[in-house]
Each structure stands twice: as C-alpha cells, then as structure tokens.
Amino acid sequence: MITVLYPARTVRGYPRAPQLTPVEARYFAELAPLVRPGLPAAGVDWGATLTHGHLDAPALPGRRPVLLYSPGGGDFRTLGTTLAEDLASHGRIVVLIDHPGDASQVELPSGVRLTVLRPDPDPTVFRTMIDTRVADLRFVLDRLGSLSLAPAMDLRRTGVYGHSAGGTAAVHALAADDRLSAGVNLEGYLDLDPLDGFDRPLLMFRTDGFDGAERLERSWARLPARRVLLTGSDHWIFADHAFLVPRLQAAGLVTAESRAGLIGAADPSAAVAAVRRRTRSFLARHLPVPVPAARGRRASQ
C-alpha cells in the first residue's frame, strides 16, 4: 500500500486527509505501546490527526521528480508524513510505502495485516526485513508508470529515502537499481552487506542520542556521503513522533523519560528544520525541481 503526496493545483472542495484511516487507528491504539515502547496504551484518538494533504486534489501541471520513502522498522508509512509534505510542498512527488509483515498495521483490500516487530531483530530477521523492503521499493518503481498520477512524474529523476531500517533499505536499493539517482539515509545501519564501489549521491543523518551510534558510525565509515549530526535528539525524531510525542507529553500521556528515549529531550523544532533544510538543499542539486517550483503545502493521497 502506498500514499502519494504531490503539489496540487487547488484544494478547494477536497477534504483533508487523516494520518490514519478509522480501521488503522483502531488497531494502532492497541499496538502503539508494543511497537514503540513509551507510547500510551490508552487515551489517544489516533484517527483524529489530520495531515496538510487533501484527498484526490488535482495535481499542479508539470512533470516532477519522484521520491520513494521507506519508514522505520515497525512503522506504518504515514508516520513519515511531515517530511514528505515539506518535500511535496517544494515541488516533488513523494511516495510513502508500507511493508506488510513489518509495519504495525497495513489496511489491504483483503483485510488488515498486523505485526509487532521486535525492537532488536536478530541478523536473520534483519536480513529478511531489508531484502523484502528493497524488493518492495523496486516493485513500486516498476509500477509507478501505471498510476493515474504518472503523467506528472518525471521517472528519469527518481530518488529514495528512509528512516532506520528504511534508511538501510534506501541505500541498498540505491546501490542496486540504476533508476534511482540519489538517496537520503535517516539513521539506518549499513553493515548488512559491503557497499564497495558505491558512488551515488547520498546524504546521511544521525542523532547524538541514538544508542546504536557506535555501530552506526562503524557501518558508515567507508561510505562516501554527506553527513549531518542532530544534537539533543534521538532516533524517532525523523518520524512524525517529533510532533506527536511532545503533544502527548503535554497531555500527561507520555513521561519525560519516554519522550527523551523516543525523540530526545530538546525542542524538536530545530532538528526537524535542519532535516528539512538539508534534505531540500541536497535534492536541489541532485534531483532539481522544474522552475518555477510549486508553492504552499498542497499534497494529496
């Protein structure tokens, strides 16, 4: 399952898109503290969050670069909405991808697939996760031309980015598929396979609070890439938890300790702004948007 965000010509008369469908929200209310320890087991209406996107709004004319997004391990695709909205609002088409059997819940036409992913997958499970995610990314690449939005996509300018396990998958997909021109790794390990000879444009972010920092640095050591360190932050700052967790803490539903373990103790606004700014700057060089660029936050599923 995918969500596509893109610059819209108009949003008048088109409803805002929720982050989760009612079915997805009902299941995530049960799974949240299991998938992401520290999130509350009760007291949250996960279906009440609206995105800045509007369902089925007409696309702004023009052909635009395309970005594929693979979320963190156990996360559903729309937990990457805020960064995707920023990228779409600056003229790109962003495709958020779910990985069934990995994401906490995926609402398929045939029913809902539920998974509680272990927080510390062993090497065999991790290998299966990444191989499956890379296959998913390449499958979506194969099918982009069949989407109704295909005339707006410039498939000669396609990139990939991901968070955590999604970052690992993004880099391996970038190395394996010539259709992908550039990538962004949001704190994903790169010690699964040797990446000798890797020469694609790559931007990599990490936080100073991540407990896997030593392994991360070792796995990145020989890879040519631009690197950015976010201070006062932790691993899930790259997902929508950056905005959701402080609201939950203010409501008394998340402790200060849990907040620090999820996104860091600092105000997340500076880290979020840095990720957006650095990512846009990187993509402007390697996957430029046609001039004039789209303006305003207008995206749709």
Side-chain angles (χ1 to χ4, degrees):
M1 301 302 293
I2 65 173
T3 295
V4 183
L5 296 94
Y6 52 88
R9 177 170 48 82
T10 180
V11 297
R12 184 172 298 175
Y14 296 90
R16 284 177 64 185
Q19 186 175 38
L20 288 170
T21 69
V23 171
E24 292 168 336
R26 185 171 72 249
Y27 283 111
F28 187 63
E30 300 175 8
L31 297 174
L34 303 177
V35 174
R36 201 63 62 226
L39 293 181
V44 182
D45 179 1
W46 293 102
T49 301
L50 295 177
T51 72
H52 294 96
H54 294 253
L55 288 165
D56 300 322
L60 199 68
R63 292 172 62 82
R64 303 179 182 281
V66 179
L67 296 169
L68 307 184
Y69 171 71
S70 181
D75 278 355
F76 49 89
R77 66 190 186 275
T78 54
L79 271 175
T81 293
T82 51
L83 178 56
E85 285 181 338
D86 184 73
L87 294 170
S89 75
H90 287 83
R92 293 174 175 83
I93 294 174
V94 185
V95 182
L96 309 179
I97 301 171
D98 262 339
H99 302 287
D102 179 334
S104 52
Q105 73 286 318
V106 181
E107 188 176 2
L108 300 159
S110 57
V112 179
R113 173 71 183 265
L114 305 177
T115 306
V116 177
L117 185 70
R118 289 174 47 181
D120 55 342
D122 62 40
T124 300
V125 172
F126 189 62
R127 160 70 66 180
T128 300
M129 284 174 59
I130 302 308
D131 287 350
T132 303
R133 283 166 171 259
V134 171
D136 288 347
L137 287 164
R138 300 183 76 176
F139 173 77
V140 171
L141 269 175
D142 291 341
R143 298 296 297 272
L144 288 178
S146 67
L147 298 180
S148 59
L149 197 64
M153 297 181 175
D154 184 351
L155 298 180
R156 299 167 302 173
R157 292 184 294 163
T158 304
V160 61
Y161 72 107
H163 172 221
S164 194
T168 306
V171 175
H172 282 277
L174 183 62
D177 201 308
D178 289 340
R179 292 173 294 179
L180 296 168
S181 302
V184 180
N185 174 12
L186 305 170
E187 205 158 56
Y189 297 126
L190 297 178
D191 53 6
L192 188 64
D193 284 318
L195 290 164
D196 297 336
F198 181 90
D199 62 354
R200 302 287 177 86
L202 179 64
L203 174 65
M204 302 201 294
F205 291 87
R206 76 170 183 88
T207 63
D208 62 351
F210 183 39
D211 60 8
E214 183 178 346
R215 175 185 171 188
L216 197 77
E217 282 296 307
R218 286 198 311 268
S219 73
W220 288 9
R222 298 176 58 187
L223 202 67
R226 295 175 61 91
R227 304 181 188 190
V228 180
L229 173 66
L230 304 178
T231 59
S233 302
D234 213 322
H235 191 58
W236 300 101
I237 194 80
F238 297 107
D240 292 350
H241 297 301
F243 296 93
L244 296 172
V245 169
R247 296 286 297 273
L248 295 173
Q249 183 188 16
L253 296 171
V254 166
T255 66
E257 181 181 7
S258 293
R259 174 212 167 112
L262 287 165
I263 66 168
D267 182 346
S269 58
V272 170
V275 172
R276 290 176 171 178
R277 183 178 66 255
R278 295 292 190 96
T279 300
R280 290 198 308 264
S281 175
F282 172 79
L283 293 173
R285 289 191 299 276
H286 302 292
L287 291 170
V289 174
V291 179
R295 295 183 179 275
R297 286 187 173 182
R298 295 294 182 262
S300 175
Q301 287 184 314

